Amino acid sequence: MWTSKDKSISVEGKGDFSLLNAAVSDFLEQYVRTCSPSRLHLCDGSDEENKKLCELMRESGMVRPLTSKEYTNCWSVRTDPTDVARLESKTLICTPKEEQVVAEGARHPGTPNMLGKWMSEEQMDAQMKDRLPRCMKGRVMYIIPFSMGPVGSPLAKIGIQLTDSPYVVASMRVMTRIGTPVIKTLNTGAEPTEFVRCMHTVGRPDPADPAEVQKAKMRLPTWPCDPERVLIAHYPMRREIVSYGSGYGGNSLLGKKCFALRIASWIGKEEGWLAEHMLIMRVQNPEGDVRYVAAAFPSACGKTNLAMMEPSLPGWDVKCVGDDIAWLKFDNEGRLRAINPENGFFGVAPGTSLKTNPNAMEMVHRNTIFTNVAYTERGDVYWEGMDPTYDLNNTKVISWRGIPHWKPGMCTMDGEVITAAHPNSRFCTPLSECPVVDPLYNSAEGVPIDAIIFGGRRPDTIPLVFESFNWPHGVFLGSAMRSETTKAAADVTEKLRHDPFAMRPFFGYNFGEYLQHWLNLEKPGRKMPSIFHVNWFLRGEQNEFLWPGFGENARILEWIFKRLNGDSSVARASPIGMLPTNSGIRSNDLSPSVDMDRLLNVDHKLWLKEEEAIRSFLEGQLGKDCPAGIVEQIHSLRERLANTCSEE
Ligand code: OXD
Ligand code: MN
């Protein structure tokens, strides 16, 4: 039984509530009063607890176990079809002043704000007052203590998530470190009140309100949600997140995008470090040299594949520290150190195959929660691009929408292709299951970063790889990123969009300040990582990819290694940065052969347009908040392009 401080409310509860310190108890009390749960469950994080939860979800029809012998402790979940991805338009940062979140340019009337959306704290509180009261009536509120980063690491941060979704508890257990050790660490640490307050509800309609109950009948019964009223609010100054109406991962696993990127980027700005949308990998060459690399690509652009790739070049080795988020901080020796604050992968399933990511294909056979993939009569899962040899004709496949005899080529009456799996369907797997996880993934002090790679999905203009001239130019390259959009967000319609630092949906504060923070990191005595830009997605006349990608990207890593070792013979200056010489990247043994001239071409006409697009985006969004260091970079690019054009 849990009882409030003033003894005015008591709720039946499971778990040792005496572990909760005064600050955690106050947070809990606030939301117990508002949400009126009928029971509480303080999660200890044990295997036994997890087993019982999975059983409960199976009985309620929310999850199905994969019964095929090839899978151990794996589950499949279908969400309501209206709740399948992040919702950028419903995601807001709430602070006292708009300028804390929106840069000057985007505050101009008539200029669309393309980066973080703002609402005042009071306005948001009022919106939530309309949504939260009694939202957990008749149901369980789970309390999840979790650590982003290894428990007790000086780089880690603690959160407490309240949720009414057992799916969220099971997924948070995979994605973060949860349970009793975390709460004990909070209590014995220097700041027991310092934790991020995370409140989540699927927004199940109030059973006492007939209109709401009627609306709920339109939803998948096993997946309550309130899609019309979804709101994901971040209060960085209060260190609080309130997420209403969606059970989908990016909106409900609050440790991930909400805490580890939006709130953490704010904390990082205050404390002098970075929270970035980056994978972290360890690369070793045949001579035994080891480099750690962090890479930022927009959602669903291949971070997971790169983070655990099997290099095609003999003697090269890759180990994975993380595939989505990096927290980076300079240590006392001036080295940039990174931890992966997460403890699992929440990867996009479609397109994952033995060819594109053999290590992911191996690991998803254990302790994995699949969401919105297809389920088959063999008791296993299927998704587009998984296995060209899969016998679809003789296997009954149930699509993610529950179509019982799905077959390839099925269409709606409007001629729209019906897919087996949702394009944003996911696997949620513990990091420890990855066959190539780096032994240092749990290291408290993090790994030393030598290179940062930016990248995007561009069919033209951006060469296969190039290097920045220096740190400020590298920061500019991050700010100039553009990429074709994917299905990771449900409410994005542009085809090609600006996605600076791959952080567009994840900035926690004013983009101008963010850029200045990056520029300020360069200080005497610090070993600044080199910065590169890659594009594996160049296409030819028939829309074919010009570069094989995947394991062959080791060839690009080889060039990056040479550059890190100071080899100037493999690079030449160009208006956009240091490009590989044509023989700088080993490619003559590739079959089919590749056209290196084309892959490394800087087309002036296209680049003049690119420069225009970058300039108008940065000037438009930033206005007076554009740091002088970035203004200088914009001018220099223009000048370099103009000079080269006139030489031709
Ligand atoms: C993700 C995303 O889920 O970036 O990682 O959308
Ligand atoms: Mn991501």
Side-chain angles (χ1 to χ4, degrees), residues 396-411:
K396 197 172 124 193
V397 174
I398 307 163
S399 83
W400 75 278
R401 294 285 306 255
I403 298 173
H405 293 279
W406 177 88
K407 289 282 173 237
M410 271 185 166
C411 286

Side-chain angles (χ1 to χ4, degrees), residues 103-108 111-112 614-623:
E104 197 268 340
R107 296 202 302 277
H108 278 231
T111 305
I614 296 167
R615 183 161 39 85
S616 88
F617 169 75
L618 291 175
E619 289 177 357
Q621 291 296 299
L622 291 164

Side-chain angles (χ1 to χ4, degrees), residues 86 88 248-250 256-257 261 277 297-300 303 323-325 342 346-348 424 426 486 488-489 502 505-506:
R86 285 186 291 98
E88 295 185 4
Y248 170 77
K256 195 172 181 58
K257 304 300 185 182
L261 288 176
H277 192 200
F297 305 163
S299 306
K303 284 202 297 300
D323 77 328
D324 197 40
I325 300 178
E342 301 193 279
F346 187 63
V348 176
N424 191 36
R426 301 280 177 143
T486 64
F506 309 123

Side-chain angles (χ1 to χ4, degrees), residues 15-16 19 42-46 49 143-146 151 158 177-187:
D16 182 0
L19 283 172
L42 172 57
C43 300
D44 61 21
S46 62
E49 177 181 75
I143 304 146
I144 318 168
F146 66 97
V151 180
I158 286 176
R177 287 102 172 152
I178 74 165
T180 310
V182 178
I183 199 82
K184 288 190 171 158
T185 302
L186 178 68
N187 292 345

